[in-house]
Amino acid sequence: MAQAQEMAQALNPGLESFSPKGFEALLPTMPKEVMEMMFGNTVNKDGLDAKTRLLLTLAGLTCQGAQADTAVRQTVRHALAAGAKKQEIVEAIGQMSVFAGIPAMTRALELAQEAMDDTKDDET
């Protein structure tokens, strides 16, 4: 990370204080209707809805070891916007402990909690 920051500073001094978490804030959550059009059952009427697809994506990210922090947090935010309840997100991640292991599940839950803490959604 330090090497990347040094390189960014050499290319553009304004990037000296670059933070991946700050960059993440620039990526807005898509509205539910847009997610449904792109990831849901708009094209395939009998297919999976956006919420289900996002929960599956979260499960896949967990199985990869929950190494992509931004992707996990963004997927959690999008899942909430698509109508997933916090309990459904926790269960989707928890189910992956069997396949990905406890450390991956724990990391994904930590990242999900960060994203859920950032939202104003009070549903559980």
Side-chain angles (χ1 to χ4, degrees):
M1 184 66 151
Q3 183 181 12
Q5 286 178 325
E6 287 173 21
M7 189 169 66
Q9 182 184 10
L11 294 173
N12 182 347
L15 293 176
E16 178 181 4
S17 60
F18 173 78
S19 147
K21 188 114 173 154
F23 182 72
E24 184 179 338
L26 296 173
L27 303 171
T29 304
M30 290 182 276
K32 183 178 180 179
E33 296 76 24
V34 173
M35 284 188 288
E36 198 62 55
M37 183 182 73
M38 294 175 66
F39 307 118
N41 56 16
T42 299
V43 176
N44 181 5
K45 299 285 186 208
D46 296 325
L48 299 172
D49 62 353
K51 178 181 98 169
T52 303
R53 288 178 190 268
L54 288 161
L55 290 173
L56 289 170
T57 300
L58 189 55
L61 289 167
T62 301
C63 279
Q64 291 177 334
Q67 297 177 37
D69 296 11
T70 299
V72 172
R73 287 190 295 260
Q74 280 296 91
T75 301
V76 168
R77 288 184 195 105
H78 281 112
L80 290 169
K85 296 188 181 332
K86 291 180 180 181
Q87 182 63 31
E88 292 173 316
I89 290 168
V90 169
E91 286 183 29
I93 293 170
Q95 180 68 29
M96 295 305 102
S97 66
V98 176
F99 306 103
I102 301 297
M105 178 202 68
T106 302
R107 180 66 182 142
L109 286 172
E110 289 170 355
L111 294 167
Q113 188 62 55
E114 286 177 23
M116 290 188 283
D117 286 346
D118 291 344
T119 65
K120 303 291 187 243
D121 181 20
D122 290 331
E123 287 188 50
T124 55

